[in-house]
Amino acid sequence: MAKTTDGGPQDGAAEVLDRPLPDGVRRRVVRLVADGFGGLTVAELPAQLRQYARFAPNRRAKFAGNAMAASLETDPLFRQRIGEKLREAQPELTGALDSGSPPPAADPLDVAAAAYVLRPAGWVKLVTAAGEEAQRADAERADEETRAELERLRAELDRAREQTRSETERLRAELDAAKKDSESLHRKLRSALSDVKRGEAALRKLRGEMEAARAESHSQVSAAESESRRLKARLGETEAALEAARRAAREGRSVEDMRVRLLLDTVLDAAQGLRRELALPPVSVRPAETVDAVEPGRMTPKDIAARALSENDPALVDQLLALPQAHLVVDGYNVTKTGYPQMPLEKQRLRLLGQLAQLAAQTGAEVTCVFDGAELAAPVLLAPPRGVRVLFSKPGVTADELIRRLVRAEPPGRPVIVASTDREVADGVARAGARPIASALLLKRLS
């Protein structure tokens, strides 16, 4: 049984609350228990609350609120100890409750919570009154919120009505404008129909003129065919005369050949003597080095599609490279994609360049390897092997176009061999005077 400060029993200890503890009062009670909880030893706590002994007051109220409220209700000794801690913390409030005159300025919820813990005479009335006061305050607060919400809804309704009115006026204006546009379109449609009729009449007139022109062209074609037959007859006569002239020229060719050969020997001897006289050094700059391209170390080439294969005799490569001053131009990715497409691009380049270096050392021919660098975005760290010139095309220029520039840069008459399976590249370099070979043929020779 709870006791008063002088050791006697309280007058309100026998009073019983006949209704549930109001929520506001219950929260204040739990807070009072949580605050006084820390001043008790573990042995002084009920068994179900000892696990929360080390919790902070806020966490204690959050996790052990129900257990503390139940212990306070069922364990008088625990309630007495919490009451003692409350008397130490709030002596004025507890003294006023003991004297039966709670302070009028105090919060009713705090007064009810303290009365529930201390159980002075009339504590049930204090708790009940605090609950009713809290309910009235909640009801007043709810009424105020309801009135504020009603005012807000009325304001929104007024705004919606005003917006609807302005929107209606705007739609009416747009409807009037649409009607005017419709009338204008009808007028334009009638004008367009008139234009169509005039166009149809003009078309019929043009068809008649076209028929007349077609008949006239037929007559002109007939006249042209007659003229063509006449010209063919004259062409035959001219060809016969030309053949007779050729036979006459062949009869005197032996004398002319002797004179031309003598002149050629004279020019060659003079050129060799001039080289010795001027002590000219060997040629250090090749035409291929004058073509604008990207050198290794500046960009990384992108992948290109594999090309079609072609089978030929690899001995043809040696035969072509044996020609004087032969220049081999290789479409790099075309060859690697034909021979070993499964390898990464970097290993494809290194493998091809190593094989081309061996071929250059064996044949002594000039070798240039071209890679597509039109979309490069990062540097390529590549040291060209000895005897092989490595070029990357500039952004916006394909490797095919760079190969055609290399071929056009060479002087007429120099043997230029282009290794590529690309039909467009092969046809282009052939028209420029170079000899195309298939990538598969070069791969056979390199292997």
Side-chain angles (χ1 to χ4, degrees):
M1 179 180 292
K3 298 186 178 179
T4 60
T5 54
D6 57 359
Q10 294 182 356
D11 296 335
E15 297 182 16
V16 178
L17 186 65
D18 59 352
R19 66 186 67 184
L21 193 65
D23 289 340
V25 177
R26 182 183 181 281
R27 287 193 293 271
R28 300 295 174 90
V29 169
V30 170
R31 185 186 304 170
L32 291 176
V33 176
D35 292 339
F37 200 101
L40 302 178
T41 62
V42 175
E44 293 174 340
L45 294 174
Q48 64 270 25
L49 297 181
R50 292 175 182 177
Q51 56 180 327
Y52 305 107
R54 297 182 180 274
F55 282 28
N58 291 335
R59 296 189 68 223
R60 205 177 292 143
K62 179 179 179 181
F63 295 103
N66 294 332
M68 288 190 296
S71 299
L72 194 69
E73 179 65 25
T74 59
D75 191 341
L77 181 59
F78 176 65
R79 186 170 62 249
Q80 178 182 351
R81 290 169 177 169
I82 294 298
E84 292 173 355
K85 297 297 180 182
L86 178 60
R87 294 179 190 282
E88 295 175 0
Q90 301 184 34
E92 295 180 0
L93 176 61
T94 55
L97 288 174
D98 291 338
S99 63
S101 57
D107 188 343
L109 294 179
D110 291 338
V111 173
Y116 181 79
V117 173
L118 297 175
R119 304 290 173 94
W123 68 271
V124 173
K125 293 181 179 180
L126 292 175
V127 172
T128 304
E132 294 174 352
E133 181 68 21
Q135 289 178 355
R136 284 194 298 273
D138 292 341
E140 292 176 357
R141 185 165 52 254
D143 290 342
E144 292 178 358
E145 292 177 355
T146 303
R147 285 194 294 273
E149 181 67 15
L150 181 60
E151 293 296 330
R152 184 183 66 80
L153 292 176
R154 286 176 178 173
E156 289 184 357
L157 179 59
D158 294 339
R159 288 195 297 271
R161 287 175 177 173
E162 183 65 25
Q163 184 177 2
T164 302
R165 189 180 303 109
S166 61
E167 185 69 16
T168 302
E169 294 176 356
R170 184 183 66 80
L171 291 176
R172 286 177 180 173
E174 291 181 356
L175 179 59
D176 295 338
K179 289 180 178 179
K180 294 179 181 179
D181 292 341
S182 177
E183 293 175 356
S184 176
L185 289 175
H186 280 300
R187 289 193 297 270
K188 291 180 180 179
L189 179 59
R190 288 192 292 271
S191 176
L193 290 175
S194 300
D195 294 340
V196 168
K197 292 179 179 178
R198 287 193 296 270
E200 290 176 349
L203 179 60
R204 287 192 295 271
K205 181 180 178 181
L206 288 175
R207 284 177 178 173
E209 294 176 355
M210 186 175 63
E211 291 296 334
R214 187 174 298 168
E216 184 180 356
S217 65
H218 282 308
S219 62
Q220 292 179 356
V221 168
S222 300
E225 289 177 351
S226 300
E227 182 66 16
S228 176
R229 287 191 293 271
R230 188 181 65 80
L231 291 176
K232 285 181 180 180
R234 291 188 59 184
L235 179 60
E237 297 174 357
T238 303
E239 288 178 349
L242 179 59
E243 183 62 26
R246 285 176 178 172
R247 285 196 298 269
R250 281 196 296 269
E251 294 175 358
R253 179 173 296 176
S254 60
V255 178
E256 295 297 331
D257 288 347
M258 180 183 63
R259 295 178 61 189
V260 171
R261 180 60 183 271
L262 179 60
L263 179 61
L264 180 59
D265 292 342
T266 302
V267 172
L268 292 175
D269 293 340
Q272 292 177 359
L274 183 61
R275 173 177 288 183
R276 289 193 301 271
E277 195 68 22
L278 296 177
L280 295 177
V283 176
S284 59
V285 179
R286 298 290 183 171
E289 297 175 357
T290 64
V291 177
D292 190 15
V294 180
E295 297 180 356
R298 296 181 59 187
M299 293 185 180
T300 301
K302 299 293 183 182
D303 192 9
I304 63 171
R307 309 298 185 181
L309 298 176
S310 175
E311 296 294 334
N312 288 298
D313 187 358
L316 178 61
V317 178
D318 291 324
Q319 182 180 1
L320 293 174
L321 295 182
L323 296 174
Q325 296 294 321
H327 183 187
L328 174 62
V329 180
V330 180
D331 189 350
Y333 285 136
N334 187 280
V335 175
T336 61
K337 289 293 182 178
T338 301
Y340 24 87
Q342 72 281 359
M343 298 177 63
L345 291 181
E346 180 180 1
K347 293 186 178 180
Q348 290 183 18
R349 292 193 299 268
L350 294 177
R351 179 173 177 178
L352 176 61
L353 294 177
Q355 293 174 333
L356 291 177
Q358 296 178 5
L359 182 63
Q362 293 170 2
T363 61
E366 180 181 355
V367 179
T368 301
C369 187
V370 178
F371 292 105
D372 192 353
E375 298 180 358
L376 297 181
V380 173
L381 302 178
L382 177 65
R386 184 180 181 85
V388 179
R389 181 186 298 107
V390 182
L391 299 178
F392 290 108
S393 61
K394 281 188 171 183
V397 179
T398 63
D400 300 347
E401 178 60 25
L402 181 56
I403 290 173
R404 286 191 284 269
R405 291 182 184 179
L406 288 170
V407 173
R408 290 195 296 268
E410 296 292 349
R414 183 183 184 187
V416 180
I417 302 94
V418 178
S420 177
T421 309
D422 193 331
R423 189 72 265 168
E424 184 179 354
V425 175
D427 294 342
V429 299
R431 287 192 296 269
R435 171 62 187 272
I437 61 173
S439 297
L441 179 61
L442 178 62
L443 289 169
K444 282 187 176 182
R445 172 59 184 85
L446 293 177
S447 61

